[in-house]
Amino acid sequence: MRGLMRTLTPLGRLVLVGVAVLLLALAGRGLGLRWDPFNLQQRRLEVADARATYAESDAEARRLEAAGQGRQAARVEIHHRQTLAVQRATVAAVTQARSAEDANDPLDLVRADRLRAHDRELCRLAPDLDGCAAASGSS
């Protein structure tokens, strides 16, 4: 060994020491030894945990957003149906009132009953309108 060291140049000796260190490190890794002087593995783990937490919260937010959009669409559909029903009832009442034989006569009992029936229909379709029993009872 001594003779080998004498025959090697300084660069050769440096290469020999480097190879020896490399072999020791590989042998240590094979035996399960880990050397992480800058704690890189722990940092990678923390970053991965943070990404997983963000992904979970983002997925939950998207789920809640989709559920809210579904409920909103259902409310819009109900409102649309109510609007159409009110329009149909109003058109029917206006058509009936205009075509009635007493359309230009002063208000009598039959006409008043027809108007009250129309009001009741509107209150049935939208009980929270002003003038309806439910709206006046809640004030």
Side-chain angles (χ1 to χ4, degrees), residues 128-139:
D128 56 338
L129 287 175
D130 287 338
C132 292
S136 62
S138 64
S139 299

Side-chain angles (χ1 to χ4, degrees), residues 107-138:
L107 191 63
D108 64 354
L109 292 177
V110 173
R111 192 171 181 190
D113 288 341
R114 189 173 58 245
L115 290 173
R116 277 191 287 278
H118 179 65
D119 283 345
R120 280 192 299 274
E121 178 66 13
L122 289 176
C123 286
R124 184 187 68 78
L125 293 172
D128 56 338
L129 287 175
D130 287 338
C132 292
S136 62
S138 64

Side-chain angles (χ1 to χ4, degrees), residues 50-121:
R51 285 182 182 163
T53 302
Y54 174 76
E56 288 172 2
S57 66
D58 190 51
E60 179 66 15
R62 297 296 159 252
R63 187 189 65 74
L64 291 173
E65 183 179 353
Q69 286 177 346
R71 287 190 304 271
Q72 181 182 10
R75 287 191 303 268
V76 167
E77 179 64 26
I78 290 169
H79 176 72
H80 182 67
R81 286 183 190 158
Q82 285 178 342
T83 302
L84 290 176
V86 168
Q87 286 175 347
R88 280 193 300 269
T90 303
V91 167
V94 167
T95 303
Q96 184 182 15
R98 286 188 180 157
S99 66
E101 61 187 46
D102 62 348
N104 295 322
D105 294 343
L107 191 63
D108 64 354
L109 292 177
V110 173
R111 192 171 181 190
D113 288 341
R114 189 173 58 245
L115 290 173
R116 277 191 287 278
H118 179 65
D119 283 345
R120 280 192 299 274
E121 178 66 13

Side-chain angles (χ1 to χ4, degrees), residues 8-15:
L8 289 176
T9 63
L11 183 60
R13 291 180 191 160
L14 185 62
V15 168

